[in-house]
Amino acid sequence: MKTSGKFVLASSIGAVTLAASTTFALAEQASLSISIKDHHFQPAEIHAPANTLITLVVRNLDSTPEEFESKTLRVEKLVAGNGTITMQIRPLAIGRYRFFGDYHEDTAEGYLVIE
Ligand SMILES: [Cu+2]
C-alpha cells in the first residue's frame, strides 16, 4: 500500500516536469535593453542564448536621432531623439554580432554576443 502510494506520487511529478520543460522549449525568449548616451551604446556588449527569439529595446537618451543598424542582425531602425524602439531579432547561432549607430558610427558601436 505504502509502496504503491510512492509510485503514484513519483509518476505525477514526472508528468508535471515533462509538461513544464516542453512548454519552456516552445517559448524560449530573451529580453534585452540597451541605451544610447552621448552617441555611445550602454552597455556596449549585450548577451543572449543561442536559438532564442530576442526582444531588444533601444532607448535613446540623446536629444538627437540615431539609427540602430546591423548588417549581420539584418536590422536598420530609426530611434528618435529621447525615443524608444522595440524590435524582434530572429533566433541566432553562437557568435558576436556587431551593431552600430549609423549617424555616429565612429563612437556608437556594440556587440550582441550569442552564447
Ligand atoms: Cu542606415
Side-chain angles (χ1 to χ4, degrees):
M1 195 66 178
K2 200 171 183 181
T3 307
S4 149
K6 274 182 184 170
F7 176 74
V8 170
L9 180 61
S11 300
S12 326
I13 290 171
V16 169
T17 305
L18 181 63
S21 58
T22 303
T23 305
F24 180 71
L26 291 172
E28 280 184 87
Q29 289 195 35
S31 293
L32 300 175
S33 69
I34 194 166
S35 297
I36 299 164
K37 179 103 167 65
D38 299 326
H39 313 307
H40 286 79
F41 286 108
Q42 296 181 341
E45 195 175 289
I46 47 181
H47 295 245
N51 305 312
T52 300
L53 185 66
I54 299 165
T55 300
L56 175 63
V57 174
V58 182
R59 256 182 213 95
N60 186 0
L61 304 177
D62 291 335
S63 57
T64 52
E66 186 56 272
E67 190 181 59
F68 183 93
E69 181 161 352
S70 173
K71 315 283 188 209
T72 50
L73 298 173
R74 295 182 215 144
V75 295
E76 185 172 21
K77 202 163 178 179
L78 187 75
V79 198
N82 299 309
T84 300
I85 57 165
T86 301
M87 69 185 92
Q88 300 286 331
I89 296 174
R90 70 189 193 281
L92 296 164
I94 286 172
R96 282 171 69 82
Y97 298 81
R98 180 179 179 267
F99 55 83
F100 56 95
D102 204 17
Y103 300 159
H104 305 88
E105 196 176 350
D106 50 333
T107 55
E109 183 188 36
Y111 287 88
L112 170 57
V113 179
I114 301 295
E115 51 207 0

